[in-house]
Amino acid sequence: MLLSGMALTHGLHAQEPALAEREQPEGNLLLTSEELTYNLDEERVVASGAVQIDYGGYQMVADRVEYDQQTGRLYAVGNIELIEPDGNRIYAEELDITDDFGDGFVNALRIETPDNTRLVAESAERTGGTETTLNNGVYTACEVCEENPERPPLWQIKARRVIQNGENQTIRLEGARFELFGRPIAYLPYLVVPDYQKKRQSGFLFPSASYADDLGLGVTVPYYFALSPHMDATVSVTGYSNQGFLTEAEFRRRFSNGDVTLRAAGIYQMSPEEFDERTVDWDEDLRGLVNSTGRFEINSRWTFGWDLTLQSDKNFGETYRIDGFAEEEEISEIYLTGLNDRNYFDMRGFYFDIQTPFPDNFDEEVQPIVHPTIDYAYTLDQPIFGGETTLDVNLTSLSREREEFFDFTDDRRDRLRGVDGWNNRLTGEVEWRRRITTDAGIIITPLAALRGDLHANDLEQTAALASVGGSDDDFQSRSMVTAGVEASYPILATTATSSHVIEPVAQLFVRPNEPLSGGLPNEDAQSFVFDATSLFERDKFSGYDRIEGGTRANVGFRYTGTFDNGYRLNAIVGQSYHLAGENSFATDDFVNAGANSGLETDVSDFVGQVGVQMPNNIALRAGARFDKDTFDVDRADVAARYANDRLSVGAGMTFVRAQPEYSYDRDRYEVRGDASLRVTDNWSVFGAASYDAREHVLTDASIGLGYDDECFSFRIAYIEERDRRDLSGPDWSIGASLSFRTLGDIAFND
């Protein structure tokens, strides 16, 4: 039956479910209960016993509900739970509200939002259907302790008034007192936080603090601007007791296919004399930087982006620890990439900003400006003679203000790591290869490759070039043709509990000598390590500026073992042989790439690598290069890791024997390790360290303590690190951060 716009059902009519399921007219209220009384004279409906009300997205249960049809108000009593359309859950013992749930009054209520924040108050009043005012309220994002519900949460905010506004989706706390572990620690006249529906809200963020001898005590106060759904900004002001006010601003804008960020920071130093004399910091007053980043998906294939930074001096970002700009090396780049099926294109330009406090340091001037480097790779769709054909193109164009030249006074050869002026190279290479499996199971892979290089240079340091055997010709070209074959014979051996694959591998590459060997600038092939990962490479140089020439054979074994108990093994071992022609690794170049590498002789050193994966979450890896005559270890890398739900431990060691003709004239040892342990469900400790065994010093170390739960996170860490170029003394810092869910973060650094 319908009474004054109300659809009523109760337990006496439970056998007629059609009434409850029937579509109700818009705006009708559906009420069910165990007992229903209707007073015609007073136009009052009283429902009691498991009362349920459903109206316009609101759902409510209570022990007893009275509905006054004359005033249009509902009065509910006992174990009330009201679920609002936005997901809020309101718990109370008494509730007086209009029949559209727009206005009302409630005593002793508790509100739980969908993101698990909680509001508790002595009383509350709802007006306009959008705003709820709570008197003597408590706000927290922490769950109530099940074992001791009376115990205060880890953090809470008690306020004289709490106003939850549904229109602007904010929670405003007036006369707020912040409590930690039940103890008041701060008073705020008012505090506004976004509710769970609004992820962004303009207002002040939590402040942070820092300390440094030359800067003094610093307090950072950030303000966040929610400008639009696709645009926002943050402005921060840091007051330093020694240097004045540092202002930082960050603007962010999202587009349908990408985003742009603009950042700026600046300060006028009040007391530059606090810094060491004859440093950039001591010599400057007005300092700052600007940065812009962007990334756009032009279409499903192409991406364009940039990350560009400009600083007023050599050390501003590192001195003031500007977030994202405090590293020794800051890289600006602009790029365009494309990927489609069998095509790949990448174009990038780079500028390297080396931060240093010393004005006479030229590390930045010897860095190249790359304008640009282009890589293109294409694999033909159709096979040629049954094989796969690939095309690889690289263009590198760079310039440098100052050469990076090392003039050694001993018998070691001088090195020119970078030439000043312009240096351009265009490389194109075509490779064909085909995989053939014989009836006997032998896999034969013939290949052929043709490469050509064009060099166009405008180099200035001709004397430096001559001292390392280089040429000062402005235009040069070279080419290389390679014919090769690889043969492997995988042998499968099985037992009742394991399977093993042993694969002997042999390669032969026939080619002429490297043209202009060592006579051209070497920019991208300076880093060279011969190990098991490069054993079977056709060209073992790390970049395009060097080409491996001469006839060479590579021989070795690959092994893979799988065991039923969960163990897995893999290994590679082998050796390389220079058979004819000029050995490129024995040829001097601008940096002596290849010297002391183990490949400079006709018979190379032995290289090997082994990896073990255990079922108990332990992984081991070891690689080494062994002297071909004495079998002494010339290079070794060992690493181990164990991890489970609570503990993660890693350790490693690197040893490199002296390479006086290539880099260091003494042995190098480094031991490193890291660990993290979750002591309880909430508490954890972590740490890491690296130790230079040659110098007997810790190059870097850190240790910290952390706490995490559903509403709060805490971190404190001590960090010590040394400049790899100067191990005389460490820099150290202490950092701490507090994160309160729904409120923000507090950070401190010393």
Side-chain angles (χ1 to χ4, degrees):
M1 56 183 171
L2 290 176
L3 298 176
S4 299
M6 293 182 61
L8 305 177
T9 67
H10 54 86
L12 297 178
H13 298 88
Q15 70 274 20
E16 300 178 6
L19 180 61
E21 297 174 359
R22 188 183 308 139
E23 182 178 350
Q24 305 297 333
E26 183 178 355
N28 286 350
L29 181 148
L30 179 64
L31 180 149
T32 65
S33 66
E34 294 178 352
E35 183 178 341
L36 182 66
T37 302
Y38 181 49
N39 189 321
L40 293 175
D41 296 331
E42 298 181 1
E43 297 186 46
R44 181 183 296 273
V45 180
V46 179
S48 59
V51 182
Q52 298 183 31
I53 296 177
D54 193 337
Y55 172 79
Y58 290 89
Q59 297 176 334
M60 186 176 75
V61 297
D63 293 342
R64 186 173 183 273
V65 174
E66 294 184 11
Y67 174 57
D68 189 330
Q69 290 180 293
Q70 294 181 354
T71 62
R73 297 189 71 88
L74 288 171
Y75 179 71
V77 179
N79 298 313
I80 301 168
E81 180 179 354
L82 173 62
I83 303 177
E84 297 181 312
D86 57 11
N88 279 353
R89 292 177 179 267
I90 300 175
Y91 300 90
E93 287 299 317
E94 296 181 41
L95 176 66
D96 182 1
I97 197 167
T98 57
D99 57 7
D100 63 355
F101 293 88
D103 300 311
F105 183 83
V106 62
N107 284 319
L109 87 158
R110 174 168 55 94
I111 301 175
E112 294 182 1
T113 65
D115 68 339
N116 287 328
T117 57
R118 292 164 174 79
L119 288 164
V120 180
E122 292 180 357
S123 62
E125 183 176 0
R126 184 178 178 87
T127 57
T130 59
E131 185 172 282
T132 302
T133 301
L134 295 84
N135 301 308
N136 296 324
V138 178
Y139 172 86
T140 184
C142 301
E143 295 181 0
V144 177
C145 178
E146 295 182 359
E147 299 178 356
N148 185 8
E150 301 300 323
R151 188 172 69 183
L154 192 147
W155 67 265
Q156 61 184 2
I157 300 176
K158 292 183 177 180
R160 178 173 46 83
R161 289 206 315 166
V162 180
I163 302 172
Q164 186 181 37
N165 191 305
E167 286 188 353
N168 57 28
Q169 299 174 339
T170 61
I171 298 174
R172 178 185 176 96
L173 300 102
E174 298 179 351
R177 184 173 73 246
F178 185 85
E179 293 186 358
L180 191 64
F181 298 105
R183 302 289 184 180
I185 63 171
Y187 173 79
L188 300 171
Y190 75 92
L191 176 66
V192 179
V193 297
D195 71 9
Y196 73 97
Q197 299 178 85
K198 191 167 187 177
K199 304 304 180 185
R200 304 185 308 134
Q201 170 68 33
S202 296
F204 286 100
L205 305 178
F206 262 90
S208 61
S210 63
Y211 178 80
D213 289 341
D214 38 25
L215 304 179
L217 177 64
V219 177
T220 302
V221 179
Y223 190 91
Y224 176 77
F225 296 89
L227 304 175
S228 74
H230 51 267
M231 187 165 52
D232 59 10
T234 304
V235 176
S236 302
V237 176
T238 303
Y240 288 105
S241 58
N242 290 349
Q243 300 301 337
F245 292 94
L246 170 73
T247 302
E248 300 176 70
E250 181 173 356
F251 171 81
R252 297 166 289 269
R253 174 73 158 85
R254 287 201 310 269
F255 300 87
S256 60
N257 64 336
D259 57 80
V260 172
T261 300
L262 300 175
R263 294 188 62 183
I267 188 174
Y268 186 86
Q269 297 185 151
M270 294 191 311
S271 304
E273 66 275 5
E274 294 288 340
F275 298 99
D276 292 339
E277 292 188 13
R278 295 179 298 278
T279 64
V280 173
D281 305 307
W282 174 79
D283 197 41
E284 298 288 341
D285 291 324
L286 184 62
R287 312 178 68 182
L289 65 79
V290 292
N291 168 265
S292 174
T293 62
R295 178 182 172 86
F296 289 90
E297 302 288 341
I298 301 174
N299 53 40
S300 60
R301 302 176 182 178
W302 291 93
T303 301
F304 171 71
W306 68 88
D307 184 351
L308 305 175
T309 303
L310 178 64
Q311 292 200 73
S312 61
D313 56 75
K314 289 185 175 183
N315 208 42
F316 170 70
E318 188 173 26
T319 298
Y320 284 90
R321 292 293 174 183
I322 306 298
D323 186 29
F325 304 94
E327 299 298 325
E328 180 183 343
E329 182 180 275
E330 297 297 332
I331 302 176
S332 293
E333 69 171 327
I334 184 170
Y335 59 88
L336 174 66
T337 62
L339 178 64
N340 178 44
D341 195 18
R342 293 170 173 260
N343 293 267
Y344 172 73
F345 176 90
D346 184 271
M347 178 173 66
R348 294 175 186 267
F350 295 95
Y351 180 82
F352 300 91
D353 184 2
I354 307 301
Q355 299 200 83
T356 174
F358 306 110
D360 56 351
N361 184 289
F362 297 107
D363 286 349
E364 182 172 324
E365 285 75 7
V366 302
Q367 297 297 320
I369 302 174
V370 182
H371 42 70
T373 176
I374 298 175
D375 287 289
Y376 175 71
Y378 175 65
T379 301
L380 272 65
D381 295 333
Q382 300 297 324
I384 297 179
F385 299 115
E388 182 181 74
T389 303
T390 59
L391 171 67
D392 184 32
V393 177
N394 174 264
L395 170 66
T396 298
S397 175
L398 55 87
S399 62
R400 188 180 276 104
E401 294 182 26
R402 187 185 184 97
E403 85 282 356
E404 188 175 10
F405 183 72
F406 292 86
D407 183 4
F408 293 100
T409 57
D410 52 23
D411 295 335
R412 287 180 291 171
R413 187 172 178 269
D414 295 340
R415 294 173 199 153
L416 183 61
R417 287 187 176 177
V419 294
D420 58 344
W422 287 69
N423 182 14
N424 309 288
R425 175 187 42 76
L426 174 64
T427 297
E429 183 176 67
V430 178
E431 182 188 76
W432 173 90
R433 65 171 60 219
R434 180 182 179 185
R435 182 184 174 97
I436 303 170
T437 303
T438 68
D439 294 339
I442 299 175
I443 301 173
I444 300 176
T445 306
L447 65 86
L450 176 63
R451 168 176 165 169
D453 293 336
L454 295 176
H455 287 257
N457 305 315
D458 182 13
L459 306 179
E460 300 179 6
Q461 293 297 321
T462 56
L465 286 170
S467 69
V468 293
S471 172
D472 59 354
D473 292 343
D474 291 340
F475 183 85
Q476 293 174 317
S477 64
R478 62 180 179 178
S479 62
M480 175 64 70
V481 59
T482 303
V485 63
E486 176 183 294
S488 64
Y489 185 38
I491 302 171
L492 175 63
T494 61
T495 69
T497 59
S498 63
S499 63
H500 310 265
V501 177
I502 303 172
E503 184 181 14
V505 181
Q507 294 177 326
L508 178 65
F509 300 109
V510 179
R511 55 207 160 192
N513 295 335
E514 177 186 7
L516 301 172
S517 178
L520 296 173
N522 180 359
E523 295 282 355
D524 68 356
Q526 296 187 10
S527 175
F528 184 75
V529 176
F530 174 49
D531 57 19
T533 62
S534 60
L535 172 63
F536 296 114
E537 293 290 331
R538 172 169 60 87
D539 190 333
K540 296 179 176 57
F541 282 112
S542 58
Y544 291 96
D545 284 336
R546 291 296 306 271
I547 305 175
E548 184 177 343
T551 299
R552 179 171 292 277
N554 304 312
V555 179
F557 291 88
R558 289 193 283 250
Y559 165 78
T560 302
T562 304
F563 300 82
D564 292 350
N565 58 7
Y567 283 81
R568 297 189 62 185
L569 303 176
N570 61 80
I572 300 175
V573 63
Q575 197 173 24
S576 184
Y577 303 89
H578 177 74
L579 303 179
E582 184 180 41
N583 186 348
S584 294
F585 303 105
T587 302
D588 294 336
D589 72 357
F590 286 23
V591 294
N592 282 0
N596 307 129
S597 66
L599 284 169
E600 70 275 14
T601 56
D602 289 344
V603 179
S604 79
D605 289 345
F606 294 97
V607 290
Q609 179 177 291
V610 61
V612 182
Q613 184 68 48
M614 304 183 188
N616 54 1
N617 299 321
I618 296 178
L620 304 174
R621 179 188 57 81
R625 176 166 63 87
F626 304 92
D627 186 275
K628 62 182 178 60
D629 298 319
T630 64
F631 216 66
D632 291 339
V633 177
D634 288 332
R635 183 184 183 95
D637 290 282
V638 180
R641 179 157 295 279
Y642 170 79
N644 60 25
D645 294 339
R646 288 191 174 274
L647 176 65
S648 175
V649 179
M653 184 275 293
T654 298
F655 164 75
V656 181
R657 192 172 297 281
Q659 299 174 286
E661 295 301 320
Y662 172 58
S663 57
Y664 289 86
D665 58 356
R666 54 184 178 178
D667 297 346
R668 287 171 288 162
Y669 308 82
E670 183 182 71
V671 180
R672 57 194 176 275
D674 64 87
S676 63
L677 173 64
R678 184 167 291 278
V679 182
T680 67
D681 290 341
N682 303 116
W683 288 97
S684 61
V685 293
F686 51 88
S690 296
Y691 180 72
D692 188 326
R694 176 74 187 190
E695 300 293 337
H696 305 291
V697 296
L698 278 172
T699 53
D700 55 74
S702 63
I703 187 170
L705 176 70
Y707 175 90
D708 296 280
D709 63 20
E710 81 284 350
C711 68
F712 174 77
S713 295
F714 166 73
R715 291 284 186 279
I716 185 169
Y718 171 85
I719 301 172
E720 181 179 298
E721 54 189 350
R722 298 171 187 260
D723 190 327
R724 298 278 177 166
R725 297 166 299 182
D726 181 7
L727 300 177
S728 59
D731 292 328
W732 63 269
S733 62
I734 295 177
S737 65
L738 301 174
S739 178
F740 302 95
R741 188 171 69 86
T742 74
L743 295 182
D745 303 332
I746 300 175
F748 178 81
N749 291 288
D750 184 358

